[in-house]
């Protein structure tokens, strides 16, 4: 899935959030490890900050904020399906 400039907001889990869950987790890991936002943008989001640094930073920050929301609140809406 392509990364949107802004992830959905609000207090409900969306299809976009579900599709981006592993990306959100990678962003949280990178942040916890102290990775530079430029590296996270490049390696996690697939964006080259040198193309448009301001846009890449906005996308990184908005997705990291959504990842934090997911980790703290949104996870409650995930439905876990047991595979057989």
């Amino acid at each position: 899935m392509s990364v949107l400039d802004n992830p959905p907001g609000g207090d409900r889990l969306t299809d976009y959030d579900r599709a981006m869950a592993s990306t959100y987790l990678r962003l949280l890991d990178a942040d916890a490890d102290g990775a530079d936002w430029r590296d996270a943008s490049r390696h996690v989001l697939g964006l080259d900050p040198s193309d448009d640094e301001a846009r890449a930073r906005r996308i990184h920050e908005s997705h990291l904020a959504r990842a934090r929301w997911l980790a703290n609140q949104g996870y409650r809406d995930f439905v876990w399906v047991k595979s057989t």
Side-chain angles (χ1 to χ4, degrees), residues 7-78:
D11 60 355
R12 301 300 278 166
L13 193 68
T14 68
D15 289 340
Y16 182 81
D17 293 324
R18 290 178 192 282
M20 296 297 286
S22 63
T23 299
Y24 291 154
L25 292 173
R26 291 178 63 207
L27 283 173
L28 290 170
D29 284 344
D31 186 60
D33 289 344
D36 184 85
W37 73 267
R38 291 168 197 85
D39 292 332
S41 291
R42 188 174 296 109
H43 298 292
V44 177
L45 298 172
L47 303 171
D48 186 351
S50 64
D51 290 342
D52 185 341
E53 185 171 325
R55 178 176 175 262
R57 185 160 198 150
R58 278 192 314 273
I59 292 171
H60 174 268
E61 288 176 358
S62 64
H63 280 75
L64 181 57
R66 189 65 176 178
R68 289 178 177 142
W69 171 83
L70 181 70
N72 292 311
Q73 297 173 9
Y75 70 90
R76 294 178 185 117
D77 291 334
F78 265 106

